[in-house]
Amino acid sequence: MKPGIHPAYGPVVFRDSASGTAFLTRSTMTSQKTIEWEDGHTYPVVDVEISSASHPFYTGTARVMDTAGRVERFERRYGARR
């Protein structure tokens, strides 16, 4: 890779604001906020709204869409097409 054209790649803590969990990884993202991690070092922290710790797909709390009920409600409201 060419030197001097790539962003700095280093350790960053991502903190999920929905679940409160945090994980340390490497990224090119930076932040002015810092956090002291479990290992005693201070790292930049990036707050994210959703991660695998709170996303319904990964947690198994996904809502199931009741399409039959929605169709019946539509037909009751506007009449069934015959």
Side-chain angles (χ1 to χ4, degrees):
M1 294 193 309
K2 281 186 171 180
I5 64 169
H6 298 286
Y9 183 72
V12 178
V13 174
F14 286 94
R15 183 171 46 196
D16 186 346
S17 59
S19 67
T21 59
F23 54 94
L24 177 64
T25 186
R26 295 178 54 92
S27 176
T28 59
M29 292 190 70
T30 59
S31 175
Q32 296 298 323
K33 295 189 284 184
T34 59
I35 189 172
E36 186 171 334
W37 195 243
E38 300 152 356
D39 61 1
H41 292 92
T42 302
Y43 299 106
V45 63
V46 177
D47 291 319
V48 293
E49 293 181 19
I50 195 161
S51 71
S52 60
S54 63
H55 194 280
F57 179 79
Y58 296 105
T59 59
T61 59
R63 295 185 314 176
V64 176
M65 224 17 161
D66 182 22
T67 55
R70 292 179 63 143
V71 170
E72 291 166 0
R73 188 175 73 203
F74 179 83
E75 288 177 347
R76 276 196 315 266
R77 186 178 293 165
Y78 299 107
R81 182 182 255 185
R82 308 238 180 216

